[in-house]
Amino acid sequence: MEFHLLNRLAEINLRVGPVLDELGIKPRIVHRSDGAVLVQFKTSDQQTVSPVEIRLAEDAKTTTSPASWKGSKMSATFWEDIEIGDTGWTLQEFCRSHHKFDIGSDPEPFFTALAEWLPGHGVIHLDRSKDGFTMNEDFARAFKIIRTALPDDEQIDVKCERGPASDAYVFNYPPGCDWRFEFVGRSVAVTANGEEVTLVDTTELKKLIPAIRTRLKELSARRNLGI
């Protein structure tokens, strides 16, 4: 059977190889625990994947008769790349919808659709695998909340940073005070010059606003007192 499956991959590479090269992914056979055999598109480290996949029918897996794509099904989910403010980072957000393509006896419409679907759906970067991309909707949502807490009349450069185990927002305000918003699991740890400001659950991000404003008032009072 594996020989026939490898032939399916060879067909795909022959027909849409340049598209795959541009996206940096390859077709790979995946055997699911329920017995389904899929063609998925991903990098060798499996950290960048296409939301397009093909579920192979028996005719595509056969070892006793000429193989055919007939009966196989292609499906794909929709994702949207959303800029996170002016940070230069991108949220890859699942749009909670998908579409399907039933493959008939003539494979030409399928290969035409595959050549359109692959670049049209793009790729997803999993598990913080690529700098500047995140799938954490709470992290992305926090940007506007942090901005809301800061003075409108000040130029404050809020940046994103990626550490070994977590992502964070950082900025310097007032001058000489380094803020850090570290996202670890379901919580956000906020510090200013290394001092704890608050620890907030990601379901209650709006609590960041009073915490930030209160600390900014304290910092302003200290400066006025020359502390």
Side-chain angles (χ1 to χ4, degrees):
M1 182 186 294
E2 290 299 327
F3 176 76
H4 287 264
L5 296 180
L6 291 175
N7 280 344
R8 302 290 75 72
L9 300 188
E11 284 185 75
I12 290 172
N13 282 321
L14 180 65
R15 301 299 292 270
V16 296
V19 175
L20 294 171
D21 289 343
E22 188 172 338
L23 294 171
I25 52 179
K26 295 291 185 184
R28 303 180 188 279
I29 295 294
V30 175
H31 295 269
R32 286 200 334 204
S33 58
D34 62 0
V37 179
L38 308 176
V39 176
Q40 295 181 344
F41 302 88
K42 57 184 72 177
T43 52
S44 57
D45 62 6
Q46 302 187 40
Q47 294 301 296
T48 298
V49 303
S50 167
V52 177
E53 69 176 23
I54 304 161
R55 183 176 180 131
L56 298 180
E58 289 305 314
D59 283 352
K61 300 182 290 182
T62 181
T63 60
T64 59
S65 61
S68 166
W69 288 97
K70 183 179 180 181
S72 299
K73 298 179 183 296
M74 179 168 65
S75 64
T77 52
F78 290 88
W79 295 72
E80 183 178 3
D81 285 355
I82 302 172
E83 292 183 358
I84 302 176
D86 56 359
T87 63
W89 276 43
T90 300
L91 168 68
Q92 294 196 295
E93 184 178 48
F94 175 48
C95 297
R96 294 171 177 82
S97 62
H98 68 282
H99 61 167
K100 297 180 179 180
F101 185 98
D102 294 332
I103 306 173
S105 56
D106 180 3
E108 289 306 315
F110 155 60
F111 283 117
T112 298
L114 181 61
E116 296 172 353
W117 283 31
L118 286 168
H121 284 271
V123 293
I124 308 160
H125 304 291
L126 305 177
D127 300 328
R128 304 168 62 249
S129 60
K130 184 171 182 178
D131 285 343
F133 288 86
T134 181
M135 300 174 72
N136 188 334
E137 295 181 20
D138 292 326
F139 181 80
R141 187 162 57 91
F143 176 80
K144 287 185 178 181
I145 293 172
I146 294 170
R147 276 292 191 193
T148 297
L150 299 175
D152 293 331
D153 57 350
E154 297 281 355
Q155 290 286 351
I156 303 171
D157 188 16
V158 180
K159 297 180 180 179
C160 300
E161 286 187 357
R162 172 153 291 165
S166 62
D167 294 337
Y169 288 106
V170 297
F171 61 85
N172 184 279
Y173 182 82
C177 183
D178 292 319
W179 289 74
R180 187 171 189 85
F181 298 72
E182 195 89 31
F183 282 69
V184 181
R186 300 292 298 175
S187 63
V188 187
V190 184
T191 59
N193 272 353
E195 295 181 3
E196 181 178 345
V197 175
T198 189
L199 181 68
V200 173
D201 190 276
T202 53
T203 60
E204 300 178 310
L205 287 175
K206 288 187 177 180
K207 288 186 176 181
L208 291 173
I209 297 174
I212 295 170
R213 288 176 174 172
T214 297
R215 180 54 60 93
L216 287 176
K217 288 180 181 179
E218 293 174 357
L219 290 170
S220 177
R222 290 181 188 178
R223 285 173 180 265
N224 290 336
L225 293 172
I227 300 176

